[in-house]
Amino acid sequence: MVQVAMIGIVVALLALQLKAVKSDYTMYVILGGSLLIFFLSIEKLQLILEIIKQIEKYLSVNQMYLTTLMKMVGVTYISEFAANICRDTGNSSTASQIEVFAKLMILSISAPIILALIETLNEFLA
């Protein structure tokens, strides 16, 4: 966490300095720092995925549920990253569209689980 915080601080200070001198390069510095943090985050997501696979061995949970959960986390993380980059560049309408698409994507990914839940409730009530 300290490493990511330091990267963020350095990027912010460098962008602040470049904004006064050459504002065109500010966005490139911010994008580069954001991508660096993004790839560091992916390493942590891989660790979490391995832990979830170990948990799956101990619990009798349908693999579809855990796979769906990981897909939803991935969609959320990628959409937040892309939307924030768009906002930083002044494209808030594009950021909003990315967020709307991400919400629809999460809904479509989770639809089989919602359907299974409704079927289970129907069996209990019948």
Side-chain angles (χ1 to χ4, degrees), residues 26-113:
T26 303
M27 191 59 225
Y28 297 122
V29 170
I30 292 171
L31 183 61
S34 297
L35 285 173
L36 182 61
I37 294 171
F38 177 77
F39 288 120
L40 289 171
S41 299
I42 287 178
E43 290 179 15
K44 298 302 175 192
L45 286 174
Q46 288 174 340
L47 176 66
I48 292 169
L49 182 60
E50 290 174 13
I51 291 170
I52 288 175
K53 286 181 182 179
Q54 289 177 351
I55 291 171
E56 185 181 12
K57 290 178 186 176
Y58 295 112
L59 300 175
S60 61
V61 178
N62 189 343
Q63 186 177 1
M64 178 187 75
Y65 299 132
L66 294 176
T67 303
T68 302
L69 178 65
M70 289 309 296
K71 285 180 183 179
M72 290 168 37
V73 168
V75 167
T76 303
Y77 185 75
I78 291 169
S79 66
E80 277 295 313
F81 179 79
N84 287 333
I85 292 293
C86 290
R87 274 194 197 88
D88 287 346
T89 62
N91 295 315
S92 60
S93 62
T94 305
S96 297
Q97 292 301 316
I98 290 171
E99 289 172 341
V100 167
F101 182 80
K103 290 172 186 174
L104 292 172
M105 186 75 175
I106 289 171
L107 183 61
S108 69
I109 290 171
S110 64
I113 293 177

